[in-house]
């Protein structure tokens, strides 16, 4: 073929591209923001106040600067692992398999709590404390081989790992055991029993890792069909996304935590973020939903109210992030992950001070 002749293979590729049949560079997307925007656009019981979102963006940015929020803040917490090795990846993976549903209707003195290092831990921190305590007691709770051993990893052993210093047990213990079993099986079948191999299979993409987790692990497949909405499921993927975020933060964006597209991760749709966003005026509830939340009525997982609360919170934090970047275009590492971490820490401080203006919504599920 001479230099003047057209390359037929190149022409074929060009034709496919022009017809929309070929994408030259296709980076993975999680679809979480797309679904959140759809729910927000069609929501009737949750609304966003744009002026309050703007004000919140200014306050959040100022406070994060004041407290020097960064990925390193994650490791600074007393109970989080401090090492930068495979054992930390295993700890985080175990933690995020089990990172759901700690709320209780009992008083602070009666609710499920873990006693560890001469302190009493509740909520998410009760999980982290229990895992650290189990490792110190010689229970290989972060080992996927252990999860698969039905004679060693039993419900009774899990009750020992999560033994409470009160009369209330950790909620959903049987569901937690089932999640560990499934995760151990998938790791064995697809990733040579190693969450590090799972991370490496994503080739440095945070979105790809989230998608792998949602595809291969049922217990991470946090997607639901909006009642009366579109046929395509709404992907919220709280625990899959928080695994990526925790690894990124623990390794400060290096090594196992190096993801080229970390900013594709959204906030983690749980029951605490809607609470603080509502208290800041960013999110408003319809009168029936407001009454249900204040009366602490349980909202079924996947119901319209619950889906609107979670998805609109994702979209709200995205708008706050965009406003911060608009006002501070030079702000480094300002993403939804750090905003989420900051807001979660803040609402826990407000709770500890007894200053909550509205309770969080109640939903029992494995998703958050």
């Amino acid at each position: 073929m001479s230099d003047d002749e057209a390359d037929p293979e190149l022409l074929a590729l060009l034709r496919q591209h022009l017809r929309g049949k070929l994408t030259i560079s296709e980076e993975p997307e999680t679809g979480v923001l797309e679904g959140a925007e759809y729910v927000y656009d069609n929501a009737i019981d949750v609304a966003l106040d744009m002026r309050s979102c703007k004000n919140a963006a200014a306050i959040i940015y100022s406070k994060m600067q004041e407290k020097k929020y960064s990925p390193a803040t994650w490791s600074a917490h007393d109970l989080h692992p401090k090492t930068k090795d495979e054992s930390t990846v295993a700890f985080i993976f175990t933690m995020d398999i089990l990172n759901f549903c700690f709320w209780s209707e009992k008083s602070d003195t009666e609710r499920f709590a873990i006693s560890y290092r001469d302190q009493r831990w509740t909520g998410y921190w009760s999980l982290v404390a229990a895992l650290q305590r189990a490792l110190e007691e010689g229970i290989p709770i972060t080992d996927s081989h252990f999860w698969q051993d039905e004679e060693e990893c039993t419900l009774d052993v899990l009750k020992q790992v999560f033994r409470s210093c009160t009369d209330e047990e950790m909620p959903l213990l049987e569901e937690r055991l089932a999640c560990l079993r499934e995760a151990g099986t998938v790791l064995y079948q697809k990733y040579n029993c190693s969450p590090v191999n799972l991370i490496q299979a994503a080739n440095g993409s945070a979105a790809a890792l989230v998608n792998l987790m949602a595809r291969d692990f049922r217990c991470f497949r946090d997607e639901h069909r909006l009642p009366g909405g579109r046929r395509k499921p709404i992907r919220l993927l709280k625990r899959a996304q928080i695994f990526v975020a925790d690894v990124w933060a623990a390794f400060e964006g290096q090594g196992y935590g190096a993801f080229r597209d970390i900013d594709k991760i959204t906030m983690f749709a749980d029951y605490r973020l809607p609470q603080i966003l509502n208290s800041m005026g960013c999110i408003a509830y319809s009168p029936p939903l407001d009454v249900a939340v204040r009366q602490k009525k349980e909202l079924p997982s996947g119901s319209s109210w619950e889906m609107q609360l979670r998805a609109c919170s994702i979209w709200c934090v995205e708008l706050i992030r965009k406003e911060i970047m608009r006002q501070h275009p030079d702000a480094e590492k300002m993403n939804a992950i750090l905003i989420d971490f900051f807001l979660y820490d803040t609402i826990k401080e407000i709770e500890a001070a007894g200053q909550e203006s509205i309770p969080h919504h109640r939903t029992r599920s494995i998703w958050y």
Side-chain angles (χ1 to χ4, degrees):
M1 185 176 69
S2 71
D3 292 340
D4 296 329
E5 293 178 311
D7 185 335
E9 292 183 1
L10 183 58
L11 283 174
L13 287 172
L14 180 60
R15 290 191 187 100
Q16 289 178 36
H17 177 61
L18 292 174
R19 292 170 186 164
K21 294 181 180 180
L22 177 68
T23 302
I24 299 299
S25 176
E26 188 171 346
E27 280 290 303
E29 301 287 343
T30 67
V32 174
L33 269 183
E34 173 198 346
E37 183 179 19
Y38 175 85
V39 175
Y40 166 71
D41 286 342
N42 292 275
I44 57 175
D45 291 290
V46 179
L48 269 56
D49 183 281
M50 296 306 169
R51 184 179 297 275
S52 294
C53 286
K54 279 177 168 288
N55 294 337
I59 294 169
I60 289 168
Y61 179 77
S62 174
K63 292 292 185 183
M64 288 178 71
Q65 294 296 107
E66 180 183 318
K67 295 186 177 183
K68 295 182 170 59
Y69 250 75
S70 73
T73 305
W74 190 94
S75 296
H77 285 287
D78 288 344
L79 294 181
H80 279 158
K82 304 296 185 283
T83 59
K84 312 287 186 187
D85 54 25
E86 292 191 17
S87 69
T88 294
V89 174
F91 188 97
I92 293 172
F93 189 66
T94 307
M95 184 177 74
D96 289 328
I97 291 170
L98 302 172
N99 186 2
F100 57 84
C101 203
F102 306 107
W103 59 269
S104 170
E105 297 297 5
K106 295 185 179 293
S107 68
D108 285 344
T109 57
E110 296 175 317
R111 66 176 294 184
F112 167 77
I114 294 292
S115 178
Y116 177 64
R117 293 182 183 172
D118 299 322
Q119 291 191 54
R120 188 174 178 276
W121 307 91
T122 60
Y124 162 76
W125 293 112
S126 68
L127 167 65
V128 188
L131 294 179
Q132 294 284 19
R133 183 179 66 182
L135 291 173
E136 290 179 9
E137 294 173 346
I139 301 172
I141 190 62
T142 61
D143 187 341
S144 66
H145 296 90
F146 176 69
W147 309 336
Q148 296 176 72
D149 191 329
E150 296 187 11
E151 294 184 359
E152 292 293 326
C153 185
T154 65
L155 187 59
D156 285 340
V157 169
L158 221 57
K159 287 180 179 180
Q160 174 66 14
V161 169
F162 296 110
R163 64 188 182 276
S164 178
C165 58
T166 71
D167 290 334
E168 184 179 41
E169 281 191 346
M170 176 178 261
L172 304 182
L173 264 178
E174 292 185 5
E175 287 82 353
R176 294 178 203 277
L177 178 59
C179 288
L180 287 174
R181 288 258 195 274
E182 189 225 342
T185 299
V186 174
L187 284 181
Y188 171 76
Q189 292 175 343
K190 298 193 174 209
Y191 299 103
N192 197 24
C193 299
S194 171
V196 165
N197 292 337
L198 169 64
I199 292 172
Q200 291 174 341
N203 294 318
S205 168
L209 181 51
V210 168
N211 291 340
L212 283 174
M213 294 175 74
R215 184 194 72 186
D216 293 342
F217 300 83
R218 288 192 308 277
C219 65
F220 283 109
R221 201 175 300 147
D222 179 13
E223 53 186 38
H224 315 271
R225 297 193 183 280
L226 186 68
R230 65 178 189 176
R231 296 180 63 185
K232 185 178 179 181
I234 304 297
R235 309 188 90 203
L236 301 174
L237 304 179
K238 187 261 185 181
R239 290 190 298 107
Q241 289 202 105
I242 206 169
F243 171 69
V244 177
D246 285 344
V247 171
W248 171 74
F251 290 87
E252 298 182 40
Q254 304 296 316
Y256 297 127
F259 299 104
R260 63 181 177 274
D261 55 351
I262 192 63
D263 290 348
K264 289 184 179 179
I265 302 300
T266 71
M267 63 79 80
F268 318 116
D270 63 358
Y271 46 85
R272 285 301 189 179
L273 268 290
Q275 179 189 22
I276 190 169
L277 291 171
N278 176 266
S279 69
M280 297 177 78
C282 300
I283 285 181
Y285 305 158
S286 68
L289 176 56
D290 188 77
V291 169
V293 171
R294 291 181 185 278
Q295 293 182 350
K296 300 181 180 180
K297 293 183 178 179
E298 192 164 327
L299 309 184
S301 178
S303 64
S304 177
W305 277 355
E306 191 242 7
M307 291 280 287
Q308 289 179 65
L309 283 168
R310 297 184 71 199
C312 290
S313 296
I314 293 173
W315 193 244
C316 182
V317 169
E318 176 63 10
L319 295 182
I320 289 171
R321 185 194 68 79
K322 286 180 176 178
E323 177 62 16
I324 291 174
M325 295 308 299
R326 189 178 73 82
Q327 294 292 340
H328 307 277
D330 58 341
E332 294 183 3
K333 297 181 180 177
M334 178 56 65
N335 56 29
I337 297 171
L338 292 178
I339 295 171
D340 182 289
F341 287 172
F342 171 78
L343 289 174
Y344 180 84
D345 288 346
T346 301
I347 191 62
K348 294 301 288 183
E349 291 170 5
I350 292 171
E351 178 191 33
Q355 297 175 345
E356 293 171 291
S357 60
I358 186 173
H360 63 75
H361 72 274
R362 264 60 177 171
T363 298
R364 287 281 183 209
S365 79
I366 71 167
W367 305 122
Y368 59 98

